[in-house]
Every structure is written in structure tokens, then in C-alpha cells.
Amino acid sequence: MRPLRRRLAALLVPVILAGCQTGAAPNAGAVATVPTSAQVRSDTARGPFVAAANPVAAEAGMAVLRRGGSAVDAAVAIQAVLGLVEPQSSGLGGGAFLMAYDAGTGAVTAYDGRETAPASATPELFYENGKPLPFIDAVLSGRSTGAPGAVAMLAMAQKDHGKLAWRDLFGDAERLARDGFTVSPRLAGMINGDAPQAKTRWATTYFTRPDGRRYQAGDTLRNPAYAETVARLAAQGPGVLYGGPIGGRIAATVQEGPRPGGLTEADIAAYRPLRRDALCRPYQAYVVCVPPPPSSGVALLQFLGMAEDTPDLDKGAQSPEAWVAFGRLQRLMYADRDRYIGDNDFVGVPIAGLLDPDYVARRAALAPQVNGPVEAGAPTGSPPRGADRTAEPGGTSHFVVVDAWGDAVSMTTTVESLFGNGRMVDGFFLNNQLTDFSFTPTEDGHPAANAVAAGKRPRSSMTPVLILDGQGRLIGAIGSPGGSSILAYVAKALVGTLEWKLSMQDAIALPNLVVRGDMVGADTQMMSPDVRDALDAAGMSLRPNATETSGLHGAIWRNGRWDAGADPRREGVAVAEAEAR
């Protein structure tokens, strides 16, 4: 128990929560200039700064910031380039969550670009012959694709926070697609790996050189169809993706076999992103803000609340006791998350109950006895829910941007699995996001919170984070890909940098430990023998991590500068303006 921190948090929370809401913002398309130091609050953490999963994408974002663009302007450019150079992870055909910080008002806004199920969807969407489909069969089917949301969401956020014209944000993506980009080692590994999505007829056509060989690291890959798409997107706006020929081709491709999907042009045209109030809660002397459901950010906040009541976490990164506590808290967090979190517009997630301090303290008190899978708790307001049967492989990316005004973006973006479902339209891959629903709609006579329904958004592990200080000022941002392991990865980095006082880079580079029910995975060889032994004795025998690895990108404002980090497990970089010039 940490009473001093709790008293401090109680004083801070009313002030901070007042700023975690939506509000008016500048019009898109206005021409901006980078402010001088006299025009920027001296107490505001500011950039320009970018951390992203590919150096080319990071540079595209920095180029926008140098021209006077906002953090959201840069996010549009970064996503457009990531969809080209890292198509295994995200793209125009996928979805995303974006957290935006407005330095002028202190407001934190959550933008929901999660895909939606078509109007024809039923709870048995992934059933065949009375039984759930094998997971990979569902992924490769047309049934797996929801109405894409990333582009519409970015357009909404850019209208709220943009300083440059929308049409001026796609130049790098168009040029790279037209002239070609260098295939990175990670992309080459995915192109030539075992994932069946890389072997569909669409992917095979795209990834095969004229001489019949598949592209390798160092080769130049051109995508003229993508160049044409982003050029039209720039000139005509986001509507080109949600109607007209592109929307028609998306629907037609989804409706091809095997196992055609029910997504129609009308479903795509009807898609709407959502602007939501952020969820903000204290952790130590900070306030951590995340998107509300269908994001799983509420689970991360619950974890941090439990961590406040777990003294062993104070013992540091070398302590076996700290790692045991970290794993035990994960089991408690995932048990509640898997049972209760879904699309709040459909199922009524007990957010207040999950984050109630007394409930969080009761769950934390169980931690010392957790030596195996645990049952979900019963927070106030929780209806009976069936056990969850959602499988969550990953194909996701995260990036962070801070602009010269101190405005910031933390955005996690995905096509769900590697290359989505392997189907392509106009140079980009389609998502398989609907396989993030529970294939089994009921369990033990109770409905699953994450069951399929028409128009519903599947639960997401994506949890982009913004961190504020006690005065509501931005001091940090972080997030990660990783499927269901995202929560463990982000929690590790937050504990590492805020609790253990490591640099952001060192916190990101810490070994990963993921403990969800009876699944235990880790960067096993990075763990010391005494940590491995302690985890084994606590019912967490380590196995190599079988889920998508982390791709953490983040920064914390320390000593008047951004202490930044990019995950060494991937190809990302963190670039500040002084380093970029």
C-alpha cells in the first residue's frame, strides 16, 4: 500500500479528469508556421519529435512537422508511409486508435477508428457445419474483413487538429510508392515466411519480382497502385475510400471465395469514426490516459491501480520478486479483461466497477496467492458474462508524435494479422479484424462480451497511452503492437520508466513477460537464472514468447528533453528535430 501516492493522486485526479474530454479545435487546411520559443509555453513538453516503426515513415512525419504541421498532420503522413513500407502491420484497409493531446487546452481526446462488422453479421459469423471455423481458415476468408476505419479516423482527427491542408500530407507516400522503396529485413522475412496471408494470389502477385523470385531485403519494391490510391486520397479526401470505385472494389474482393464475406459498399459508406472521452487515472504522481472500450485500455489502468498496492514492484528490474509480482498482476488483469471488455455501445462494460479503488485493492490483495490461472472478479455493474474464446494474433504498429506547439499523438494501428487476410485492393491489404471477435458467442449459458453483432466493433488490445503530470501537462507517450500481449508490453515499459526510473530506451528493452491464464511467454533467454527460477516457483514456467513480439515506441519528458526509445526487437527509430537536421 502506498498511502502518500494515493493521497497525491486523490488531489490530482479531479483536475486532470476535467481535461480528458473532447473540445473544439483548429480547422483543417489552415497554413501553419512553426512557433518561435516566445509563442510556446515554456512549461510544455514540445517537439518536433517522432518515434515510429520504420525510419522512412518517421522521416515523413518529421518532414510534415518541419513545414509547420501539427502532430495529427504528421500522423496522417506516417500512416500513409507505414501502409506502404510495413504492410504486414497496418494500412489504409485497417483500423486504429489515436490519442490526441492539445497543449493549448490540456484536453485529451480518444479517436476510435476500429472497424465494424457488416449489417449482415450474426453471432455465428465464423461457424461452419455447426462448429467454429479453424482460426486460420477464418482469417483467410472474406468473412474476416470489417469496414476499414483508420483513414476516416485520421480525417476526423485532422479536421479537429490539423494545421496543414489534407492534400499536402501524402507526398512522401506517393513518391515512395511510385519510385520504389527499399524492402527492409523485417518485411522481407514476412514476405518469405510461413504466414499463409503472404501466399494468397494477391500477395504472391505483389511480392514476386519480374524474374519470378520473391523480393528480398535490399530490393526496390514499387507499388504504382498504391501511389494512385494515395494521390486520389489526397486530392479528393477520405470519401474516395468509403464510396465510389475503391469502396466497390473492397466489397467485391471481400465477397470472393473462399468463404465470401458479407461486407457491402453500403457497410463501407456507412462507417463512422468516433470521438470519445479519454479514460484517465492516476499512477504514482502521474495521470495515464487511454482510449475507452472497445480498446482494452481500461485493463491497463486496472493493472496500474493494482501495481500501486503491490510493494514488491518497488524492488526494481533486477528483482525476482518484482518480476513475480508483475506476472501475477497480469493474470488478474487479463482475467477481468477477457471476461468483461467489448464494444461498450453494445454490451455495457463495467468501467467504473473495474477501476473502483476498493475493487482494485481487493484484486491486488489476491496477487500473493496467484500461482496459476485465476477467475475473473465481480466488479460493481458487471452482468453475467461467458468465458471468452477470442484468439488475437498480431499485425500492428505504434507511433508517437509531438509537434512544436507541444500537441501530441499516440496511435496504435493495425490490419490485425500479418498482411491482414492477404487480400489486396488498389495497392493495400484488407484487414481481418473481425477475427478479433469471440468465435463462440455464448459460454455456460451467458453471452460473451466480445461476441459478433452487426455494426459492432471487435474488442481490441490496442492501448495507445498519453502520460500527464499533476498540472495536466504532457510528459509522455507510449504504445506497442503485440496482439493480446500489448497490455503486458506497455505495462512493462510504464513500470520500467515510471516505477524503476529507467530510461525509456532501457525500459522498452527490458525482457518481455506475458502471463495470460495458462499462457506464459517471455524473452526467456534475456531473463536471469534467479528470475526464471522465481517465476517457475510461482507457477510461471517460462516458454519462448509465441505471440507477436513487442514494437514499443515512446518517450518521457525529463530534464528539459525527450528521453525516447524504440524497440530493438523491430526496425523503429526515435527522432528529435535536433537530430533530424
Side-chain angles (χ1 to χ4, degrees), residues 34 182 246 298 329 333 350 497:
V34 178
T182 302
I246 296 179
V298 61
L329 292 180
M333 170 189 70
T497 192

Side-chain angles (χ1 to χ4, degrees), residues 55-129:
V56 177
E59 175 53 32
M62 287 300 301
V64 168
L65 296 177
R66 292 188 197 109
R67 299 203 311 269
S70 69
V72 172
D73 290 331
V76 176
I78 291 167
Q79 177 64 90
V81 173
L82 284 176
L84 176 69
V85 302
E86 199 195 31
Q88 70 271 23
S89 297
S90 72
L92 306 182
F97 290 94
L98 184 153
M99 295 289 291
Y101 174 78
D102 186 317
T105 65
V108 179
T109 306
Y111 291 90
D112 180 342
R114 189 64 163 160
E115 297 88 338
T116 53
S120 61
T122 69
E124 290 77 29
L125 176 66
F126 295 112
Y127 269 51
E128 198 165 272
N129 300 320

